[in-house]
Amino acid sequence: MIGSSNWDDFRYLLAVARHGSLSAAARVLGVNHSTVLRRVTALEQAMGARLFDKLPSGYVLTAAGDEMQRVAQKMEEDLAAANRLLSGRDTRISGSLRVTTVDILTLYVLPRHIAAFRRRHPDLRVDLVAAEASLSLTRREADVAIRATTSPPENLVGRAVSGLAFAVYGGAGYLEEAGTGGDLDRHPWVGLDESFDHTNLAHWMKRMVPAGSVRYRVNSVAGSVEAVRAGIGLGLLPCGVVDRDPAFRRIGEPVQEADAKLWLLTHEDLRHMGRVRAFLDFMADALTRERDLLEGRCPLPLSLPIPPSSPRGEGRGEGDAHAGFLSEGRRATPSP
């Protein structure tokens, strides 16, 4: 019966249902494999029903398990809503703040700003989670999301503080040896794997770079940056990360088709929490001041002309200006 179980038991059910295996659920929950198995078995005994079928492809919910998953999801949503409402009344700039973002921002952009933010608020701990897949702010998996996207989730509030430009680059040493004359198709390219198929980066690569020219693929943009740095080939990289790095040479202007917006996002219930508001205001100001760099307009150590037969970007427009972050509690809708 449900009354003999507690919420913690249902967390295990949801984790296995969402991730399809005991080991994946254990990683998410921060426990070992045997703990997950023991808790799921105990829940099945308490319910008097089998909740999962174990198939070669993983754990699949039974009919009874599917019903219990819906109950557990409702419990999770109610608890998260209560937690957000209580947290939203907390105006202290202390405790911990969980921020999720993508790898390129985690490694190359945010550390200097978080260091400055921490000097201003030394009693606050920042937990930064690098994940290409979005963590759920509704379920309080994170308090703040910093995302490079053209379509932020409609259930979040926030603001686009800058554009994020991408251009074609090669490693300085590689281009000194290989040169840039002729068609860029003659060069090997660094590409992204199928997990990026939904992105503007992948769309441009598929349209402009022959599949046979892609000699190395990786599942992160940061991995692409380091592969191009190592001399594997050319790549479509973020200007704000590599334009000031003498190890890279840009070939041509930013590729407009690959543009994204840099969004600072939170859940509406959390936007008045002191530490969330302080972090978002600070980052909005810091990133807005770096717009020229992020949007590919900073002077370069050396930029090479692009061959006429290869793709090139068009002129760039101005992004959204920062004006008092979340002062109006705006929904996260893309700017026209």
Side-chain angles (χ1 to χ4, degrees), residues 109-131:
V109 176
L110 293 180
R112 58 184 177 269
H113 299 312
I114 291 177
F117 177 74
R118 283 275 300 108
R119 288 193 291 272
R120 183 175 295 183
H121 301 291
D123 294 331
L124 181 63
R125 187 189 79 215
V126 178
D127 296 336
L128 192 62
V129 181

Side-chain angles (χ1 to χ4, degrees), residues 18-19 28 73 76-77 80-81 83-84 98-101 129 131-145 147 153 155-156 265-268 270:
R18 286 168 177 158
H19 299 283
V28 170
Q73 285 174 334
E76 180 184 55
E77 291 166 3
N83 191 22
R84 290 195 307 271
R98 190 170 172 86
V99 180
T100 177
T101 189
V129 181
E132 294 297 337
S134 297
L135 298 185
S136 173
L137 273 64
T138 301
R139 295 198 299 267
R140 289 300 304 277
E141 293 176 348
D143 302 307
V144 172
R147 290 290 171 192
N155 65 320
L156 302 180
L265 302 164
T266 190
H267 195 279
E268 187 168 15
L270 300 179

Side-chain angles (χ1 to χ4, degrees), residues 28 61 69 89 91 144 149 190 213 217 234 255 267 282 332:
V28 170
L61 289 166
Q69 182 190 35
R89 297 191 180 101
T91 59
V144 172
T149 181
V190 173
S213 295
R217 295 201 312 163
L234 305 184
V255 176
H267 195 279
F282 184 92

Side-chain angles (χ1 to χ4, degrees), residues 40-207:
V40 169
T41 301
L43 185 59
E44 288 181 326
Q45 291 172 349
M47 296 296 105
R50 191 175 73 256
L51 302 179
F52 291 96
D53 285 328
K54 185 177 181 182
L55 304 179
S57 58
Y59 278 71
V60 178
L61 289 166
T62 63
D66 188 58
E67 292 179 8
M68 293 311 304
Q69 182 190 35
R70 288 197 290 271
V71 171
Q73 285 174 334
K74 181 64 166 60
M75 294 170 64
E76 180 184 55
E77 291 166 3
D78 289 344
L79 286 170
N83 191 22
R84 290 195 307 271
L85 288 172
L86 291 174
S87 297
R89 297 191 180 101
D90 183 0
T91 59
R92 296 172 302 164
I93 313 301
S94 61
S96 64
L97 182 76
R98 190 170 172 86
V99 180
T100 177
T101 189
V102 293
D103 59 359
I104 55 170
L105 300 180
T106 299
L107 294 171
Y108 306 114
V109 176
L110 293 180
R112 58 184 177 269
H113 299 312
I114 291 177
F117 177 74
R118 283 275 300 108
R119 288 193 291 272
R120 183 175 295 183
H121 301 291
D123 294 331
L124 181 63
R125 187 189 79 215
V126 178
D127 296 336
L128 192 62
V129 181
E132 294 297 337
S134 297
L135 298 185
S136 173
L137 273 64
T138 301
R139 295 198 299 267
R140 289 300 304 277
E141 293 176 348
D143 302 307
V144 172
I146 305 178
R147 290 290 171 192
T149 181
T150 55
S151 54
E154 294 183 359
N155 65 320
L156 302 180
V157 294
R159 187 181 299 274
V161 294
S162 175
L164 194 63
F166 289 78
V168 177
Y169 294 84
Y174 168 79
L175 289 175
E176 285 175 6
E177 292 185 8
T180 58
D183 198 325
L184 293 185
D185 292 350
R186 70 183 180 84
H187 293 273
W189 280 75
V190 173
L192 296 164
D193 73 5
E194 58 276 358
S195 65
F196 281 81
D197 281 353
H198 64 287
T199 66
N200 290 342
L201 301 180
H203 296 162
W204 183 87
M205 287 284 293
K206 287 183 177 180
R207 188 170 66 84

